[in-house]
Amino acid sequence: MTLGGAVAGPGPGATHHERRGTVTWLCYGLLGFFSYFINSLGPILSFLRADLDLSYTVTSLHSSAFAIGMIVAGVSANLLATALGRRAVVWLGGAGMSIGTLVLVVGRHPAVTVTGALLMGCLGSLLAVMVSAVLADEHGPRRAAMLMEANVVASACGMVAPILVGAVAAVGLGWQSAVVAPIALFGLALARFRSQPFPVPVQSLGHGAGSPGERLPGPYWAFWTVLLLTVAVEFATLFWAAAFLEDVAGLSRSAAAAAVSLFLGGMLVGRFAGSRFMLAGRRGGSLLLVSLVTATVAYALYWWSPGVPLTLIGLTVMGVGTANLYPLTLSLAIEAAGGRTDLAATRASLAAGVAIVASSIVLGRLADLFGISAAYGIVAVLLGGAIVAALFALRLAASAAAPVMAASTTP
């Protein structure tokens, strides 16, 4: 990519791979595993709210606990990777996600289920942080396309989650049974690939491995702000869509849970198209802005539509628009970080955690006070802020890249 900052070149001795090898496919699968559980959380909370007779505010504590865990991961992942190595952190994250999910679905008291969500966020998010960093270092200048392709796989796995939760509940197997298969698959992956080596971090080779005084540049933090706002949009929609469709659109609980897959299906389509767009060598900044506008228009249809069909169409198209916001912004942020891959990915997880905590608490409280329909108005504010922040970040990154480009062309 050329828009949004200078391309971060490989560190000394770093090797970037053009092909998708074992590491790449393993990362794709692990990100899909993470995505399945994070996208099943909204539908699961809809059933938990009914089973345990929870208010919107108490229900929101689960997504907030998950997000607090993401914040912990965002502070600690870089340090853990330095101390233990990427491979150990990856498998620790997957095991933690599995254990936390089991605690969430078998718990019969909010204190237990919230603890499960906290474990999912705290340990499970380590997996997502490390996968992003590994893919970025594995593929170097092609990181944007590969991160978006990884998120195509994640979207496909995430789309299955609400369908499966709704389906097993509808046929009487119990919504809790939807977590069994992915945990078993993770166990098989751990047994088969636990010794698989991962690429050495670029900063370990040329930038100093995340020293305590190391700072990320201004353009990175501009994209970090965009990431904060867009993640808040995605998860405010994802975690509360089932409740919105049940309480406002009038769908049954199982139908509302399954209908969340429309948002995720839109994300799958959007990410597949976006990955092809980036593999063709197009500009990531342009796609980011188009995606934000698409998400805003679709959100208006989803929120204000008087009928169920248009509401569902709006939700689907919103998924298309939202699809590439996270992988694109993450790639632009890592590019702006100048090779500090682990540190950049870790701080990005921090942004995601803060976004989910804030959006979950605010939206849940507003839903109790004014109803879920009125509470959803916060998404309009977030989208407007994201557009403004993206324009600023792209301009700042382009200004920072200009001296580098000029120096590289000077005889």
Side-chain angles (χ1 to χ4, degrees):
M1 289 185 296
T2 56
L3 186 62
V7 174
T15 300
H16 296 146
H17 300 282
E18 295 293 324
R19 297 181 179 179
R20 300 167 187 82
T22 301
V23 169
T24 302
W25 289 113
L26 179 59
C27 285
Y28 285 6
L30 290 171
L31 194 61
F33 168 80
F34 176 82
S35 178
Y36 179 90
F37 284 118
I38 198 171
N39 288 301
S40 67
L41 190 56
I44 284 174
L45 291 180
S46 183
F47 284 99
L48 272 180
R49 182 166 64 93
D51 290 355
L52 304 183
D53 193 25
L54 305 178
S55 67
Y56 282 118
T57 300
V58 174
T59 303
S60 73
L61 293 178
H62 294 80
S63 50
S64 297
F66 183 93
I68 290 170
M70 291 186 72
I71 294 173
V72 173
V75 172
S76 63
N78 186 52
L79 298 175
L80 286 172
T82 301
L84 304 177
R86 283 175 164 178
R87 182 172 61 194
V89 176
V90 164
W91 297 118
L92 172 64
M97 176 64 89
S98 301
I99 294 170
T101 301
L102 290 174
V103 173
L104 173 71
V105 301
V106 302
R108 306 314 301 163
H109 188 279
V112 177
T113 56
V114 169
T115 299
L118 180 64
L119 286 173
M120 291 172 69
C122 187
L123 297 177
S125 296
L126 295 174
L127 176 65
V129 171
M130 286 296 103
V131 164
S132 298
V134 167
L135 284 174
D137 281 345
E138 180 77 357
H139 294 282
R142 298 178 73 240
R143 67 173 67 86
M146 305 317 293
L147 284 169
M148 291 176 69
E149 195 168 83
N151 277 277
V152 172
V153 177
S155 293
C157 295
M159 185 178 67
V160 172
I163 295 175
L164 191 56
V165 172
V168 295
V171 301
L173 294 177
W175 56 268
Q176 296 92 337
S177 62
V179 308
V180 174
I183 291 176
L185 288 174
F186 171 77
L188 292 175
L190 175 59
R192 171 65 179 82
F193 297 106
R194 64 181 180 275
S195 299
Q196 175 67 40
F198 289 137
V200 176
V202 168
Q203 65 265 41
S204 295
L205 296 166
H207 292 279
S211 60
E214 187 175 13
R215 294 184 179 182
L216 292 161
Y220 172 85
W221 291 109
F223 285 115
W224 187 93
T225 303
V226 179
L227 200 66
L228 179 80
L229 295 168
T230 54
V231 169
V233 168
E234 179 177 343
F235 283 92
T237 305
L238 182 63
F239 284 158
W240 292 100
F244 180 86
L245 293 172
E246 180 184 355
D247 295 349
V248 178
L251 298 182
S252 69
R253 185 169 297 120
S254 58
V260 178
S261 65
L262 294 174
F263 179 73
L264 298 169
M267 293 187 74
L268 175 61
V269 172
R271 283 177 173 170
F272 179 80
S275 67
R276 300 306 97 184
F277 182 91
M278 294 304 298
L279 283 171
R282 306 295 178 82
R283 293 175 176 243
S286 300
L287 181 57
L288 177 62
L289 294 175
V290 169
S291 296
L292 282 167
V293 172
T294 301
T296 302
V297 173
Y299 160 75
L301 180 62
Y302 166 62
W303 188 37
W304 287 331
S305 174
V308 173
L310 289 178
T311 297
L312 296 179
I313 290 172
L315 181 62
T316 305
V317 179
M318 191 176 176
V320 175
T322 306
N324 295 307
L325 297 180
Y326 178 79
L328 268 177
T329 308
L330 176 61
S331 174
L332 289 166
I334 290 176
E335 185 177 315
R340 303 167 182 87
T341 314
D342 278 355
L343 184 61
T346 296
R347 295 298 178 261
S349 178
L350 180 63
V354 170
I356 298 172
V357 167
S359 62
S360 297
I361 291 176
V362 172
L363 202 153
R365 184 57 182 158
L366 290 176
D368 278 333
L369 292 174
F370 306 110
I372 187 69
S373 180
Y376 247 116
I378 192 175
V379 177
V381 177
L382 294 169
L383 282 167
I387 292 173
V388 173
L391 289 169
F392 174 75
L394 290 168
R395 183 172 182 178
L396 183 63
S399 298
V404 176
M405 295 292 291
S408 66
T409 56
T410 301

